Each structure stands twice: as structure tokens, then as C-alpha cells.
Amino acid sequence: MEQLTEDRISGMISSALERIAFVFAEPIDASTEHSANRHASITFESAGDSGTIFLSAEDGFLHELAANLLGVEMEEVSDEESSQALTELANIVGGEIILALGASSIPFQLGLPGVIEAPPTASPAASGACVESEGGVLSVSLEPA
Amino acid sequence: MTGKVLIIDDSPLLRRSMRRALSQLGVEEDRILEAGNGQEGLKALEAGSVSLVLLDLNMPVMDGEEFLTEMRAQQCFDNVSVLIITTESNAGRLMKLGRLGITGFLHKPFEPEDLREIAAQALGKAS
């Protein structure tokens, strides 16, 4: 599978966040310590490539995302809405990643996103990126099957 | 604009976000319906008066393609416009969906203004 660079992944994420919810997020070092405690995953599969995309986000980030999507104040966002923001973001990030892997010409199947307890420890083959918005940190990793 | 708008997406948050965009376009609250999958969408459609469907593809229970196939099998829905709102980017799959009769595509992630613009065009055609 083509190895997507950290820069490319963070660029995709930042662009997607800005488009869908006017959340402005800048890339940060992927090794930066953060308190992201909300996690989601989504699988992808094609004839040649398959894997799982893991998202980990801080509560503040998800509150900001959900608030912007709904047009409400961050304080008004519920826990459930934060979870929904995370799974929808997993869906969107999944779509962007498979597009980068060639989905416009190669059929890919994207799974349904879901909340998970915690992502597995990243393998040496994994790639990923971290971004930070005003609300907090989002980390994305791509684990080939 | 007449008729109802049906949003079919498994994300409650995104349905509310799209509802908000439609309200900003001037579509009255009571003209906006929601469904969490294709099966619920068919039931909402059968209740009548839908002019436009905003349809996600990747959903549990019944996905968007199945919904669209079922819908187009019934002639009574021939005049219902369908906008696909999706992360799908495969040209072949989108062409196949196009042959089922759709008004347009909006690729996620989209700006709210993009949704308002494409929905306004579709509603203008439907009214």
C-alpha cells in the first residue's frame, strides 16, 4: 500500500475540517503528548489495499467540531453529540484517505465507522498525523492490514 | 418551493447540520424529514409529498444504493429528485448511481454553502 506521508495526512484532515465545519487545525508533531481519550475506527478494503483508520480526539476538539456543525455554543454539546462528531469525522477522513489511495479509479469499500475503547499499538507499517485546533488535538493513524 | 425534503443519513449529527443548512435556505422546519437508513427512508417516502431526497450511501440496514434502486423501481417516485451526499469517489460506482436517476452529487467534506447551492437548484427544479 502506498505510504501516505504525515504532511499529506495532516493536510487532508485540516482541509476536511475547514470545509465541513470551519474548524481550523494546524499540524503538530505526531509524537506530541496529548490527552485524546475518545477513539473511533473505520475499515477500508480494495482488491489491493486494506486496513483500518483510527482516530483519537480530545473532548475539546470534538466539542468544537460538533458545535460548529450544529451552530451552537461548545458548552451546549452533549457527550452523545461529541461521539457522533467523531464517527462522522472517521467517515469523512476515511473517504479522503481512500481517495488518496486511488479510490476514484479503483473500487474501495469503506466500512461503517464506530466508537472503540482504544486503538491498538501502532505497527511499524502504520502512518499518521496529528492536528490541533482551538478546541484540542486530533490524531489519525492508518494501519495496513 | 413546495414539497418536503428528506434527509437520509446514519449520522444524526450530520442530519441536524443539513437540516440547519436547509433552514438557512428558507425551507420550513416542518418540511424537512429525516431517516437514519434506506429502509426508514422508504417509509418516509411512502408517507408522501417528498420532492427532494438528500441521500448518504454508506449506511447500515439498507444503504443508499439499495434505497435508490428500490425507489426508482416505483414509478410514483419518478418526480422525486435525489442528491447523493457521500464520501464515495469511485467514478464507476458514481456513474452506476447516475444511471439510477439522480440530480447531483455532493462529496463529503462539503461546505454548508455548497449544500445550500445544490439543494436550491434541485428545489428550484422540483417546484
Side-chain angles (χ1 to χ4, degrees):
Chain A
M1 181 166 68
E2 179 189 343
Q3 186 88 347
L4 298 177
T5 64
E6 187 176 335
D7 279 351
R8 194 156 173 210
I9 295 173
S10 62
M12 274 187 247
I13 299 166
S14 297
S15 175
L17 287 168
E18 192 176 330
R19 286 187 67 80
I20 194 82
F22 300 116
V23 168
F24 298 96
E26 295 291 329
I28 59 172
D29 196 301
S31 61
T32 305
E33 281 199 20
H34 53 75
S35 55
N37 59 349
R38 306 286 288 270
H39 312 283
S41 69
I42 187 165
T43 60
F44 64 91
E45 190 176 351
S46 73
D49 293 329
S50 60
T52 306
I53 299 157
F54 296 100
L55 278 71
S56 296
E58 291 180 332
D59 280 327
F61 173 87
L62 294 177
H63 275 67
E64 182 190 6
L65 175 60
N68 282 19
L69 281 169
L70 296 172
V72 301
E73 297 297 321
M74 281 173 63
E75 303 74 44
E76 297 174 54
V77 172
S78 70
D79 217 44
E80 179 59 28
E81 286 162 346
S82 288
S83 285
Q84 290 168 13
L86 182 58
T87 52
E88 183 57 27
L89 186 60
N91 189 36
I92 290 170
V93 169
E96 294 294 274
I97 284 179
I98 64 171
L99 184 58
L101 292 174
S104 59
S105 51
I106 305 163
F108 268 81
Q109 198 62 36
L110 204 54
L112 292 172
V115 170
I116 58 172
E117 281 293 313
T121 307
S123 75
S127 52
C130 268
V131 297
E132 186 171 24
S133 71
E134 201 176 299
V137 171
L138 170 73
S139 168
V140 174
S141 67
L142 170 52
E143 190 71 57
Chain B
M1 301 173 201
T2 59
K4 295 181 180 174
V5 182
L6 172 59
I7 302 169
I8 308 177
D9 194 304
D10 60 331
S11 167
L13 194 81
L14 204 63
R15 293 200 304 267
R16 283 173 60 191
S17 177
M18 287 194 273
R19 175 182 280 272
R20 182 168 162 247
L22 290 170
S23 294
Q24 289 168 343
L25 185 55
V27 181
E28 297 90 345
E29 275 291 323
D30 59 359
R31 283 181 52 213
I32 303 171
L33 308 175
E34 293 183 30
N37 58 63
Q39 199 171 83
E40 289 178 13
L42 283 174
K43 286 183 188 160
L45 203 59
E46 283 155 10
S49 307
V50 173
S51 301
L52 173 63
V53 176
L54 305 182
L55 179 64
D56 185 21
L57 292 182
N58 202 22
M59 296 182 288
V61 183
M62 180 187 278
D63 68 22
E65 186 174 342
E66 286 175 75
F67 165 85
L68 192 53
T69 304
E70 291 277 336
M71 179 185 152
R72 289 306 184 208
Q74 301 180 54
Q75 285 185 325
C76 57
F77 300 130
D78 280 356
N79 290 328
V80 177
S81 299
V82 177
L83 287 176
I84 304 285
I85 313 232
T86 180
T87 54
E88 178 65 64
S89 51
N90 183 264
R93 195 174 176 207
L94 293 173
M95 271 178 58
K96 185 182 170 192
L97 288 165
R99 285 193 287 271
L100 287 170
I102 58 172
T103 304
F105 293 100
L106 191 58
H107 187 255
K108 293 180 185 178
F110 56 86
E111 290 184 23
E113 180 51 37
D114 294 337
L115 175 62
R116 285 194 288 273
E117 194 175 307
I118 199 170
Q121 286 172 12
L123 286 166
K125 285 178 188 173
S127 63

